Amino acid sequence: MKIDVLTLFPEMFNSLNYSIIGRAIDSSLISINYINIRDFSQDKHNRVDDYPYGGGPGMVMKPGPIYRALESVKTKDSRVVYLTPKGKVFNQSIANELSSEQHLVLLCGHYEGIDNRIIEHYIDDEISIGDYVLTGGEIASMVVIDSVARLIPGVLGKDESYIDESHYNGLLEYPQYTRPRIFNGSEVPDVLISGNHKKIDEWRKKQSLKVTYLNRIDLLNMKSFSEEEKKLLNEIKNELEVEK
Ligand code: 6GU
């Protein structure tokens, strides 16, 4: 996958050169280009923003520099995404969808936003990473890149499977433990040391249901349950009732 990032702050993206995404770049599974929108200003002061028509606080990014920056990278196969708190809220299913694209163009906004004619005519998707406001689209863009890149075949090692993890099957991930078996007096659950894989799978399924029930009831309400899951959920509710 090729990714072009249009930004006023290319240096902010240095953190992507580490760990799994860094390796994916080194091994050419993804290639990321950074385009500084300021390089496309035609103003003698290199200005990229201006006052809003109609008045009001803040500055708006001018359409010209963004348009020329977009035109410098866009092909007929590009998917152009604008990162904005006004966008559709990003989730795992959007990450899956974007991970099959050949070419992503990520536009990072700043100030009070960008001239709306860019959004109307040159943007395919507007994406927000959640219901809070950031100072610009750069960090949001890195969130999208990380979550999309790790879904590309070969990016995760074969031991870094994403089959069981949080948000894959609509449930949050079960708890994990490693050595030592006793840490500050607290023991690893016996079942994980039993070697009984059927029991381990059932324990993990129940723990997934439990953490989802406790932290993200909204996710559970969207799910349909197997008979086994209904039984486990009833056990969880009864156990929590006893603890009260
Ligand atoms: Cl994509 N941009 C900004 N500026 N703030 C955000 C966001 C994006 N997503 C959530 N908050």
Side-chain angles (χ1 to χ4, degrees):
M1 171 186 282
K2 182 169 184 261
I3 303 174
D4 283 298
V5 180
L6 276 50
T7 171
L8 292 171
F9 302 100
E11 297 81 8
M12 284 182 73
F13 291 81
N14 289 343
S15 59
L16 290 174
N17 294 327
Y18 296 90
S19 183
I20 293 169
I21 307 303
R23 262 182 279 140
I25 295 167
D26 291 342
S27 59
S28 303
L29 288 165
I30 52 173
S31 77
I32 314 182
N33 263 313
Y34 301 99
I35 293 97
N36 192 330
I37 297 166
R38 197 173 299 280
D39 293 343
F40 293 85
S41 167
Q42 290 175 342
D43 178 293
K44 66 175 184 293
H45 299 108
N46 284 341
R47 281 181 53 159
V48 291
D49 62 331
D50 207 335
Y51 298 100
Y53 274 115
M59 301 292 273
V60 176
M61 286 175 73
K62 295 164 68 63
I66 296 173
Y67 172 72
R68 290 184 290 274
L70 274 172
E71 287 300 303
S72 78
V73 297
K74 227 170 112 167
T75 71
K76 63 175 178 16
D77 299 319
S78 306
R79 177 111 171 230
V80 184
V81 175
Y82 171 45
L83 285 307
T84 168
K86 297 198 281 190
K88 252 208 239 177
V89 179
F90 192 58
N91 59 23
Q92 192 63 41
S93 124
I94 301 176
N96 287 335
E97 193 197 317
L98 294 182
S99 72
S100 62
E101 294 287 341
Q102 288 303 304
H103 183 209
L104 288 183
V105 179
L106 302 179
L107 171 61
C108 306
H110 257 269
Y111 314 114
E112 297 304 304
I114 69 177
D115 188 288
N116 206 62
R117 289 165 291 187
I118 293 292
I119 299 171
E120 285 173 66
H121 299 293
Y122 306 106
I123 297 294
D124 297 313
D125 309 86
E126 296 175 81
I127 290 179
S128 159
I129 61 164
D131 291 335
Y132 41 81
V133 181
L134 304 170
T135 55
E138 281 75 15
I139 292 174
S141 187
M142 287 188 257
V143 167
V144 170
I145 291 170
D146 188 289
S147 60
V148 167
R150 62 190 289 291
L151 298 173
I152 292 168
V155 169
L156 294 187
K158 63 178 173 356
D159 290 340
E160 296 158 329
S161 161
Y162 47 80
I163 298 302
D164 274 350
E165 77 194 345
S166 296
H167 293 266
Y168 189 80
N169 53 6
L171 293 178
L172 302 180
E173 201 191 5
Y174 51 77
Q176 297 277 20
Y177 298 87
T178 187
R179 292 187 290 184
R181 190 164 165 179
I182 304 177
F183 175 71
N184 287 353
S186 172
E187 283 191 45
V188 172
D190 283 337
V191 61
L192 298 179
I193 297 147
S194 68
N196 183 334
H197 287 283
K198 192 166 170 291
K199 278 252 158 63
I200 292 173
D201 286 347
E202 188 185 82
W203 182 86
R204 285 179 166 166
K205 182 80 194 211
K206 184 168 175 179
Q207 294 298 315
S208 276
L209 284 162
K210 184 175 176 180
V211 67
T212 312
Y213 178 76
L214 290 173
N215 291 347
R216 292 294 304 274
I217 196 81
D218 57 312
L219 292 179
L220 271 197
N221 290 339
M222 288 167 45
K223 230 182 103 63
S224 53
F225 299 104
S226 67
E227 288 308 312
E228 190 211 8
E229 288 171 331
K230 285 181 195 162
K231 186 196 92 184
L232 293 172
L233 255 181
N234 276 326
E235 288 177 22
I236 291 163
K237 288 178 187 171
N238 289 334
E239 286 161 17
L240 289 170
E241 200 55 42
V242 172
E243 279 173 32
K244 271 205 283 192

mmCIF file with all atom_site columns, all heavy atoms in Angstrom, residues 20 23-24 27 29 149-158 160 162:
data_model
loop_
_atom_site.group_PDB
_atom_site.id
_atom_site.type_symbol
_atom_site.label_atom_id
_atom_site.label_alt_id
_atom_site.label_comp_id
_atom_site.label_asym_id
_atom_site.label_entity_id
_atom_site.label_seq_id
_atom_site.pdbx_PDB_ins_code
_atom_site.Cartn_x
_atom_site.Cartn_y
_atom_site.Cartn_z
_atom_site.occupancy
_atom_site.B_iso_or_equiv
_atom_site.pdbx_formal_charge
_atom_site.auth_seq_id
_atom_site.auth_comp_id
_atom_site.auth_asym_id
_atom_site.auth_atom_id
_atom_site.pdbx_PDB_model_num
ATOM 1   N N   . ILE A 1 20  ? 6.575  -2.129  14.696 1.00 0.00 ? 20  ILE A N   1
ATOM 2   C CA  . ILE A 1 20  ? 5.999  -2.932  13.614 1.00 0.00 ? 20  ILE A CA  1
ATOM 3   C C   . ILE A 1 20  ? 5.795  -2.106  12.342 1.00 0.00 ? 20  ILE A C   1
ATOM 4   O O   . ILE A 1 20  ? 6.087  -2.563  11.232 1.00 0.00 ? 20  ILE A O   1
ATOM 5   C CB  . ILE A 1 20  ? 4.667  -3.545  14.097 1.00 0.00 ? 20  ILE A CB  1
ATOM 6   C CG1 . ILE A 1 20  ? 4.969  -4.569  15.213 1.00 0.00 ? 20  ILE A CG1 1
ATOM 7   C CG2 . ILE A 1 20  ? 3.906  -4.196  12.954 1.00 0.00 ? 20  ILE A CG2 1
ATOM 8   C CD1 . ILE A 1 20  ? 3.748  -5.050  15.965 1.00 0.00 ? 20  ILE A CD1 1
ATOM 9   N N   . ARG A 1 23  ? 9.124  -1.447  10.658 1.00 0.00 ? 23  ARG A N   1
ATOM 10  C CA  . ARG A 1 23  ? 9.577  -2.631  9.913  1.00 0.00 ? 23  ARG A CA  1
ATOM 11  C C   . ARG A 1 23  ? 8.809  -2.802  8.602  1.00 0.00 ? 23  ARG A C   1
ATOM 12  O O   . ARG A 1 23  ? 9.383  -3.177  7.579  1.00 0.00 ? 23  ARG A O   1
ATOM 13  C CB  . ARG A 1 23  ? 9.408  -3.900  10.772 1.00 0.00 ? 23  ARG A CB  1
ATOM 14  C CG  . ARG A 1 23  ? 10.708 -4.324  11.456 1.00 0.00 ? 23  ARG A CG  1
ATOM 15  C CD  . ARG A 1 23  ? 10.506 -5.605  12.246 1.00 0.00 ? 23  ARG A CD  1
ATOM 16  N NE  . ARG A 1 23  ? 9.904  -5.328  13.546 1.00 0.00 ? 23  ARG A NE  1
ATOM 17  C CZ  . ARG A 1 23  ? 8.958  -6.060  14.131 1.00 0.00 ? 23  ARG A CZ  1
ATOM 18  N NH1 . ARG A 1 23  ? 8.473  -7.146  13.547 1.00 0.00 ? 23  ARG A NH1 1
ATOM 19  N NH2 . ARG A 1 23  ? 8.499  -5.732  15.315 1.00 0.00 ? 23  ARG A NH2 1
ATOM 20  N N   . ALA A 1 24  ? 7.505  -2.523  8.653  1.00 0.00 ? 24  ALA A N   1
ATOM 21  C CA  . ALA A 1 24  ? 6.685  -2.648  7.433  1.00 0.00 ? 24  ALA A CA  1
ATOM 22  C C   . ALA A 1 24  ? 7.157  -1.663  6.366  1.00 0.00 ? 24  ALA A C   1
ATOM 23  O O   . ALA A 1 24  ? 7.126  -1.969  5.169  1.00 0.00 ? 24  ALA A O   1
ATOM 24  C CB  . ALA A 1 24  ? 5.212  -2.414  7.759  1.00 0.00 ? 24  ALA A CB  1
ATOM 25  N N   . SER A 1 27  ? 10.591 -2.943  5.005  1.00 0.00 ? 27  SER A N   1
ATOM 26  C CA  . SER A 1 27  ? 10.464 -4.097  4.105  1.00 0.00 ? 27  SER A CA  1
ATOM 27  C C   . SER A 1 27  ? 9.527  -3.811  2.936  1.00 0.00 ? 27  SER A C   1
ATOM 28  O O   . SER A 1 27  ? 9.111  -4.735  2.229  1.00 0.00 ? 27  SER A O   1
ATOM 29  C CB  . SER A 1 27  ? 9.992  -5.320  4.890  1.00 0.00 ? 27  SER A CB  1
ATOM 30  O OG  . SER A 1 27  ? 8.753  -5.033  5.487  1.00 0.00 ? 27  SER A OG  1
ATOM 31  N N   . LEU A 1 29  ? 6.428  -3.154  2.627  1.00 0.00 ? 29  LEU A N   1
ATOM 32  C CA  . LEU A 1 29  ? 5.033  -3.600  2.624  1.00 0.00 ? 29  LEU A CA  1
ATOM 33  C C   . LEU A 1 29  ? 4.110  -2.378  2.545  1.00 0.00 ? 29  LEU A C   1
ATOM 34  O O   . LEU A 1 29  ? 3.004  -2.453  1.999  1.00 0.00 ? 29  LEU A O   1
ATOM 35  C CB  . LEU A 1 29  ? 4.725  -4.420  3.879  1.00 0.00 ? 29  LEU A CB  1
ATOM 36  C CG  . LEU A 1 29  ? 5.359  -5.812  3.883  1.00 0.00 ? 29  LEU A CG  1
ATOM 37  C CD1 . LEU A 1 29  ? 5.332  -6.425  5.268  1.00 0.00 ? 29  LEU A CD1 1
ATOM 38  C CD2 . LEU A 1 29  ? 4.647  -6.714  2.880  1.00 0.00 ? 29  LEU A CD2 1
ATOM 39  N N   . ALA A 1 149 ? -2.290 -0.229  8.570  1.00 0.00 ? 149 ALA A N   1
ATOM 40  C CA  . ALA A 1 149 ? -1.061 -0.905  8.112  1.00 0.00 ? 149 ALA A CA  1
ATOM 41  C C   . ALA A 1 149 ? -0.922 -2.290  8.738  1.00 0.00 ? 149 ALA A C   1
ATOM 42  O O   . ALA A 1 149 ? -0.519 -3.244  8.070  1.00 0.00 ? 149 ALA A O   1
ATOM 43  C CB  . ALA A 1 149 ? 0.161  -0.053  8.437  1.00 0.00 ? 149 ALA A CB  1
ATOM 44  N N   . ARG A 1 150 ? -1.289 -2.424  10.004 1.00 0.00 ? 150 ARG A N   1
ATOM 45  C CA  . ARG A 1 150 ? -1.119 -3.711  10.659 1.00 0.00 ? 150 ARG A CA  1
ATOM 46  C C   . ARG A 1 150 ? -2.047 -4.790  10.105 1.00 0.00 ? 150 ARG A C   1
ATOM 47  O O   . ARG A 1 150 ? -1.862 -5.973  10.380 1.00 0.00 ? 150 ARG A O   1
ATOM 48  C CB  . ARG A 1 150 ? -1.272 -3.583  12.179 1.00 0.00 ? 150 ARG A CB  1
ATOM 49  C CG  . ARG A 1 150 ? -2.616 -3.107  12.612 1.00 0.00 ? 150 ARG A CG  1
ATOM 50  C CD  . ARG A 1 150 ? -2.623 -2.773  14.090 1.00 0.00 ? 150 ARG A CD  1
ATOM 51  N NE  . ARG A 1 150 ? -2.545 -3.961  14.930 1.00 0.00 ? 150 ARG A NE  1
ATOM 52  C CZ  . ARG A 1 150 ? -3.523 -4.852  15.046 1.00 0.00 ? 150 ARG A CZ  1
ATOM 53  N NH1 . ARG A 1 150 ? -4.643 -4.700  14.379 1.00 0.00 ? 150 ARG A NH1 1
ATOM 54  N NH2 . ARG A 1 150 ? -3.375 -5.895  15.821 1.00 0.00 ? 150 ARG A NH2 1
ATOM 55  N N   . LEU A 1 151 ? -3.050 -4.402  9.313  1.00 0.00 ? 151 LEU A N   1
ATOM 56  C CA  . LEU A 1 151 ? -3.966 -5.375  8.697  1.00 0.00 ? 151 LEU A CA  1
ATOM 57  C C   . LEU A 1 151 ? -3.457 -5.862  7.347  1.00 0.00 ? 151 LEU A C   1
ATOM 58  O O   . LEU A 1 151 ? -4.015 -6.785  6.767  1.00 0.00 ? 151 LEU A O   1
ATOM 59  C CB  . LEU A 1 151 ? -5.355 -4.744  8.525  1.00 0.00 ? 151 LEU A CB  1
ATOM 60  C CG  . LEU A 1 151 ? -6.066 -4.322  9.812  1.00 0.00 ? 151 LEU A CG  1
ATOM 61  C CD1 . LEU A 1 151 ? -7.346 -3.564  9.494  1.00 0.00 ? 151 LEU A CD1 1
ATOM 62  C CD2 . LEU A 1 151 ? -6.365 -5.547  10.666 1.00 0.00 ? 151 LEU A CD2 1
ATOM 63  N N   . ILE A 1 152 ? -2.406 -5.226  6.826  1.00 0.00 ? 152 ILE A N   1
ATOM 64  C CA  . ILE A 1 152 ? -1.896 -5.615  5.521  1.00 0.00 ? 152 ILE A CA  1
ATOM 65  C C   . ILE A 1 152 ? -1.100 -6.914  5.679  1.00 0.00 ? 152 ILE A C   1
ATOM 66  O O   . ILE A 1 152 ? -0.272 -7.033  6.580  1.00 0.00 ? 152 ILE A O   1
ATOM 67  C CB  . ILE A 1 152 ? -1.047 -4.468  4.934  1.00 0.00 ? 152 ILE A CB  1
ATOM 68  C CG1 . ILE A 1 152 ? -1.975 -3.294  4.609  1.00 0.00 ? 152 ILE A CG1 1
ATOM 69  C CG2 . ILE A 1 152 ? -0.261 -4.919  3.697  1.00 0.00 ? 152 ILE A CG2 1
ATOM 70  C CD1 . ILE A 1 152 ? -1.248 -2.012  4.296  1.00 0.00 ? 152 ILE A CD1 1
ATOM 71  N N   . PRO A 1 153 ? -1.399 -7.911  4.822  1.00 0.00 ? 153 PRO A N   1
ATOM 72  C CA  . PRO A 1 153 ? -0.739 -9.208  4.961  1.00 0.00 ? 153 PRO A CA  1
ATOM 73  C C   . PRO A 1 153 ? 0.783  -9.069  5.012  1.00 0.00 ? 153 PRO A C   1
ATOM 74  O O   . PRO A 1 153 ? 1.377  -8.374  4.181  1.00 0.00 ? 153 PRO A O   1
ATOM 75  C CB  . PRO A 1 153 ? -1.189 -9.967  3.709  1.00 0.00 ? 153 PRO A CB  1
ATOM 76  C CG  . PRO A 1 153 ? -2.509 -9.352  3.356  1.00 0.00 ? 153 PRO A CG  1
ATOM 77  C CD  . PRO A 1 153 ? -2.387 -7.896  3.720  1.00 0.00 ? 153 PRO A CD  1
ATOM 78  N N   . GLY A 1 154 ? 1.393  -9.713  6.002  1.00 0.00 ? 154 GLY A N   1
ATOM 79  C CA  . GLY A 1 154 ? 2.841  -9.682  6.158  1.00 0.00 ? 154 GLY A CA  1
ATOM 80  C C   . GLY A 1 154 ? 3.337  -8.668  7.167  1.00 0.00 ? 154 GLY A C   1
ATOM 81  O O   . GLY A 1 154 ? 4.467  -8.763  7.632  1.00 0.00 ? 154 GLY A O   1
ATOM 82  N N   . VAL A 1 155 ? 2.497  -7.692  7.513  1.00 0.00 ? 155 VAL A N   1
ATOM 83  C CA  . VAL A 1 155 ? 2.948  -6.633  8.439  1.00 0.00 ? 155 VAL A CA  1
ATOM 84  C C   . VAL A 1 155 ? 3.084  -7.179  9.866  1.00 0.00 ? 155 VAL A C   1
ATOM 85  O O   . VAL A 1 155 ? 4.071  -6.906  10.546 1.00 0.00 ? 155 VAL A O   1
ATOM 86  C CB  . VAL A 1 155 ? 2.026  -5.393  8.382  1.00 0.00 ? 155 VAL A CB  1
ATOM 87  C CG1 . VAL A 1 155 ? 2.336  -4.418  9.520  1.00 0.00 ? 155 VAL A CG1 1
ATOM 88  C CG2 . VAL A 1 155 ? 2.180  -4.690  7.031  1.00 0.00 ? 155 VAL A CG2 1
ATOM 89  N N   . LEU A 1 156 ? 2.092  -7.957  10.305 1.00 0.00 ? 156 LEU A N   1
ATOM 90  C CA  . LEU A 1 156 ? 2.220  -8.615  11.606 1.00 0.00 ? 156 LEU A CA  1
ATOM 91  C C   . LEU A 1 156 ? 2.926  -9.945  11.381 1.00 0.00 ? 156 LEU A C   1
ATOM 92  O O   . LEU A 1 156 ? 2.652  -10.641 10.411 1.00 0.00 ? 156 LEU A O   1
ATOM 93  C CB  . LEU A 1 156 ? 0.847  -8.869  12.239 1.00 0.00 ? 156 LEU A CB  1
ATOM 94  C CG  . LEU A 1 156 ? 0.026  -7.648  12.638 1.00 0.00 ? 156 LEU A CG  1
ATOM 95  C CD1 . LEU A 1 156 ? -1.209 -8.081  13.397 1.00 0.00 ? 156 LEU A CD1 1
ATOM 96  C CD2 . LEU A 1 156 ? 0.854  -6.690  13.489 1.00 0.00 ? 156 LEU A CD2 1
ATOM 97  N N   . GLY A 1 157 ? 3.826  -10.282 12.300 1.00 0.00 ? 157 GLY A N   1
ATOM 98  C CA  . GLY A 1 157 ? 4.461  -11.593 12.206 1.00 0.00 ? 157 GLY A CA  1
ATOM 99  C C   . GLY A 1 157 ? 3.417  -12.663 12.449 1.00 0.00 ? 157 GLY A C   1
ATOM 100 O O   . GLY A 1 157 ? 2.315  -12.367 12.878 1.00 0.00 ? 157 GLY A O   1
ATOM 101 N N   . LYS A 1 158 ? 3.746  -13.936 12.156 1.00 0.00 ? 158 LYS A N   1
ATOM 102 C CA  . LYS A 1 158 ? 2.727  -14.973 12.304 1.00 0.00 ? 158 LYS A CA  1
ATOM 103 C C   . LYS A 1 158 ? 2.323  -15.192 13.760 1.00 0.00 ? 158 LYS A C   1
ATOM 104 O O   . LYS A 1 158 ? 1.267  -15.738 14.038 1.00 0.00 ? 158 LYS A O   1
ATOM 105 C CB  . LYS A 1 158 ? 3.155  -16.282 11.632 1.00 0.00 ? 158 LYS A CB  1
ATOM 106 C CG  . LYS A 1 158 ? 4.391  -16.947 12.204 1.00 0.00 ? 158 LYS A CG  1
ATOM 107 C CD  . LYS A 1 158 ? 4.622  -18.256 11.451 1.00 0.00 ? 158 LYS A CD  1
ATOM 108 C CE  . LYS A 1 158 ? 5.930  -18.967 11.800 1.00 0.00 ? 158 LYS A CE  1
ATOM 109 N NZ  . LYS A 1 158 ? 6.858  -18.342 12.698 1.00 0.00 ? 158 LYS A NZ  1
ATOM 110 N N   . GLU A 1 160 ? 1.834  -12.663 15.757 1.00 0.00 ? 160 GLU A N   1
ATOM 111 C CA  . GLU A 1 160 ? 1.149  -11.442 16.191 1.00 0.00 ? 160 GLU A CA  1
ATOM 112 C C   . GLU A 1 160 ? -0.271 -11.406 15.626 1.00 0.00 ? 160 GLU A C   1
ATOM 113 O O   . GLU A 1 160 ? -0.747 -10.388 15.166 1.00 0.00 ? 160 GLU A O   1
ATOM 114 C CB  . GLU A 1 160 ? 1.938  -10.204 15.738 1.00 0.00 ? 160 GLU A CB  1
ATOM 115 C CG  . GLU A 1 160 ? 3.295  -10.113 16.385 1.00 0.00 ? 160 GLU A CG  1
ATOM 116 C CD  . GLU A 1 160 ? 4.273  -9.243  15.594 1.00 0.00 ? 160 GLU A CD  1
ATOM 117 O OE1 . GLU A 1 160 ? 4.180  -9.170  14.356 1.00 0.00 ? 160 GLU A OE1 1
ATOM 118 O OE2 . GLU A 1 160 ? 5.137  -8.656  16.224 1.00 0.00 ? 160 GLU A OE2 1
ATOM 119 N N   . TYR A 1 162 ? -4.183 -11.260 14.852 1.00 0.00 ? 162 TYR A N   1
ATOM 120 C CA  . TYR A 1 162 ? -5.206 -10.354 15.353 1.00 0.00 ? 162 TYR A CA  1
ATOM 121 C C   . TYR A 1 162 ? -6.568 -11.031 15.444 1.00 0.00 ? 162 TYR A C   1
ATOM 122 O O   . TYR A 1 162 ? -7.589 -10.388 15.560 1.00 0.00 ? 162 TYR A O   1
ATOM 123 C CB  . TYR A 1 162 ? -5.271 -9.073  14.511 1.00 0.00 ? 162 TYR A CB  1
ATOM 124 C CG  . TYR A 1 162 ? -5.277 -9.299  13.012 1.00 0.00 ? 162 TYR A CG  1
ATOM 125 C CD1 . TYR A 1 162 ? -6.444 -9.651  12.366 1.00 0.00 ? 162 TYR A CD1 1
ATOM 126 C CD2 . TYR A 1 162 ? -4.105 -9.149  12.283 1.00 0.00 ? 162 TYR A CD2 1
ATOM 127 C CE1 . TYR A 1 162 ? -6.444 -9.861  10.994 1.00 0.00 ? 162 TYR A CE1 1
ATOM 128 C CE2 . TYR A 1 162 ? -4.105 -9.355  10.904 1.00 0.00 ? 162 TYR A CE2 1
ATOM 129 C CZ  . TYR A 1 162 ? -5.275 -9.701  10.277 1.00 0.00 ? 162 TYR A CZ  1
ATOM 130 O OH  . TYR A 1 162 ? -5.282 -9.903  8.933  1.00 0.00 ? 162 TYR A OH  1
#
